[in-house]
Amino acid sequence: MSDPTSLRERLSRLGKRLGQREAEHAADLAAAQEHAHALHQLVSEGLEAFHAAATESGAGHLQVTLSQVRTDDKHLRAVEFDLTRGRHRAIITVKSKGQVTLVGPFHQGKTEGPCKSFPFDAEAELAPALESFLESFLEEAATP
């Protein structure tokens, strides 16, 4: 077996090198996180209304799970959150380069897509696209 001290030192040097590289992107990533949390709040409030209306209509089983904001599964310099119901999934990714991408809806285990991307300052275009995106996901997720 190799010397654990050597491995520890080697990984420590690697962590420092990678940490210094990524520190250059910290401000942009913080801006992406702030943007993602605002979108998450908006989606959360919309889902609360959806769940209440579905339950009031006698379909309380139409529950969708909204994840917390987390580091993106594919992009190190991005954050994401997703909506799931069964195999149905939709992802909202916020990238540190100033872009929001709506992914899906799609079935887990299948190819992701379709994707639509918007710059942070394109709120006029993002708002209706987000509404359509969520409506499409909820329709698909609620289809037997």
Side-chain angles (χ1 to χ4, degrees), residues 30-78:
Q33 289 173 330
E34 184 176 321
H35 204 83
H37 283 287
L39 286 171
H40 186 275
Q41 182 65 33
L42 185 66
V43 171
S44 178
E45 291 170 3
L47 281 179
E48 285 177 22
F50 171 80
H51 290 145
T55 298
E56 184 179 302
S57 299
H61 59 284
L62 296 179
Q63 296 295 307
V64 172
T65 301
L66 177 64
S67 76
Q68 294 299 312
V69 174
R70 64 183 180 281
T71 301
D72 184 272
D73 291 341
K74 291 184 178 180
H75 306 98
L76 182 60
R77 296 179 190 142

Side-chain angles (χ1 to χ4, degrees), residues 53-110:
T55 298
E56 184 179 302
S57 299
H61 59 284
L62 296 179
Q63 296 295 307
V64 172
T65 301
L66 177 64
S67 76
Q68 294 299 312
V69 174
R70 64 183 180 281
T71 301
D72 184 272
D73 291 341
K74 291 184 178 180
H75 306 98
L76 182 60
R77 296 179 190 142
V79 293
E80 70 179 8
F81 60 94
D82 57 28
L83 300 100
T84 56
R85 203 231 34 94
R87 297 181 312 133
H88 302 276
R89 188 169 182 206
I91 303 171
I92 299 173
T93 301
V94 183
K95 299 176 182 175
S96 64
K97 63 183 178 180
Q99 188 178 60
V100 176
T101 300
L102 308 176
V103 183
F106 60 96
H107 289 170
Q108 292 185 65
K110 306 280 183 178

